[in-house]
Amino acid sequence: QVFLCVTSTLSVAVFRGHFVLEDLVEEMKKQSPALDFGPLQPDGQIAVQGSFPALRELREFLLVKAKSLSEEDKREGKSRQRLRRKLQEHRGATETRNSIRDAPRETQVVVLDTDIYLYMRSFHPKTFQGSDVVISGVTDGDITTVCIQSAGGKAGAAHGLRAKRTIESCSVELQKILRKERICFKEHSRAEKQKYKQLCERLKPRHPGVLLLPYDTHIDVVGTSVRVFEFTEDVKR
């Protein structure tokens, strides 16, 4: 079994007030017919599944739209920015510190294949560590949603975005090289299942690049093609 697609959660909330979000989603579907789109959520998030190249094309499409809105907002907001700067000049240092301390936390979301997430946790744990961020994962079957929380403000947002990009980059590279082999227990008794699990655990030290995921009916072996093949052949012997 090879990882051929990824599911990503996109937020189109930034376009609210400029477009009818339902119409924007329909435009996205026409732009990227190879992708599968989930339902649009009230908060403006939508799950999209497909190949990485197709997702990258959709991302570029949305970035172009966002950039055009940004330029429009800049033109309309010059007078408001001048007024805001004048008001900030009159704020005391204490008030400024309080506003930074009380700023709401920002959240970035990455949706990963659960096997890739578990492999990253086991062999690339530093991927889920970042400066001034809290990273947690919630697994629901084959999909794991990774939440990256950071402090508000530009600095916090930068830390959160950096952590998100690190996770996404690692997952992309792993998706290219990982495969999964399943050792099924359907035809075995409870005692034989236990024997298989014990055998796999004994063999694991010989194959340090392999991740074992035991379940009631099978064991999933995740790793590169060569290492998975070597492990399964070792089990057969």
Side-chain angles (χ1 to χ4, degrees):
Q1 181 174 349
V2 182
F3 304 102
L4 297 176
C5 70
V6 66
T7 301
S8 179
T9 300
L10 303 179
S11 175
V12 294
V14 67
F15 298 104
R16 201 187 303 273
H18 298 275
F19 300 102
V20 177
L21 295 188
E22 288 78 6
D23 293 342
L24 176 60
V25 170
E26 289 302 317
E27 188 177 354
M28 291 162 57
K29 291 179 179 178
K30 292 179 182 178
Q31 175 73 22
S32 306
L35 296 175
D36 293 325
F37 292 80
L40 178 65
Q41 302 301 319
D43 61 358
Q45 292 193 349
I46 183 170
V48 185
Q49 185 179 64
S51 67
F52 276 106
L55 282 169
R56 279 198 296 267
E57 289 181 6
L58 176 62
R59 179 176 178 271
E60 292 302 320
F61 168 73
L62 292 175
L63 284 176
V64 171
K65 278 192 172 294
K67 184 177 180 180
S68 66
L69 295 179
S70 177
E71 293 298 326
E72 181 181 337
D73 290 341
K74 286 180 181 178
R75 290 192 297 270
E76 294 178 353
K78 285 183 179 179
S79 61
R80 290 197 299 270
Q81 290 174 358
R82 285 195 295 269
L83 177 59
R84 190 179 301 115
R85 282 196 296 269
K86 289 181 180 179
L87 290 173
Q88 288 174 343
E89 290 172 0
H90 290 84
R91 290 177 181 169
T94 302
E95 180 182 351
T96 302
R97 287 194 297 270
N98 289 340
S99 66
I100 294 173
R101 184 172 60 249
D102 298 335
R105 299 183 69 84
E106 294 191 1
T107 301
Q108 301 277 358
V109 175
V110 183
V111 181
L112 302 175
D113 177 278
T114 295
D115 293 326
I116 290 180
Y117 168 76
L118 294 174
Y119 192 93
M120 290 169 66
R121 276 289 185 190
S122 296
F123 296 101
H124 304 276
K126 290 185 178 180
T127 305
F128 298 100
Q129 300 170 8
S131 175
D132 298 325
V133 295
V134 177
I135 302 176
S136 59
V138 178
T139 297
D140 183 11
D142 294 334
I143 297 297
T144 295
T145 301
V146 179
C147 295
I148 306 156
Q149 288 191 320
S150 59
K154 289 184 179 180
H159 289 309
L161 187 58
R162 188 180 303 114
K164 178 181 180 181
R165 287 175 176 170
T166 299
I167 293 171
E168 289 177 334
S169 177
C170 184
S171 69
V172 169
E173 293 305 313
L174 290 177
Q175 182 168 347
K176 294 177 183 177
I177 63 173
L178 291 182
R179 66 166 296 185
K180 178 170 68 176
E181 188 77 22
R182 179 162 293 177
I183 302 174
C184 295
F185 296 151
K186 288 189 238 178
E187 306 299 328
H188 301 285
S189 67
R190 184 173 180 178
E192 288 173 325
K193 291 178 184 179
Q194 188 62 27
K195 186 182 295 184
Y196 258 88
K197 291 181 179 180
Q198 292 174 350
L199 171 62
C200 288
E201 287 300 326
R202 286 201 305 272
L203 293 176
K204 191 177 184 306
R206 303 182 192 174
H207 306 273
V210 165
L211 175 66
L212 299 182
L213 302 174
Y215 298 94
D216 289 338
T217 59
H218 61 273
I219 292 178
D220 283 338
V221 185
V222 181
T224 62
S225 296
V226 172
R227 288 179 172 175
V228 167
F229 175 78
E230 291 174 346
F231 182 84
T232 52
E233 287 300 303
D234 212 354
V235 171
K236 290 176 184 177
R237 285 193 294 269

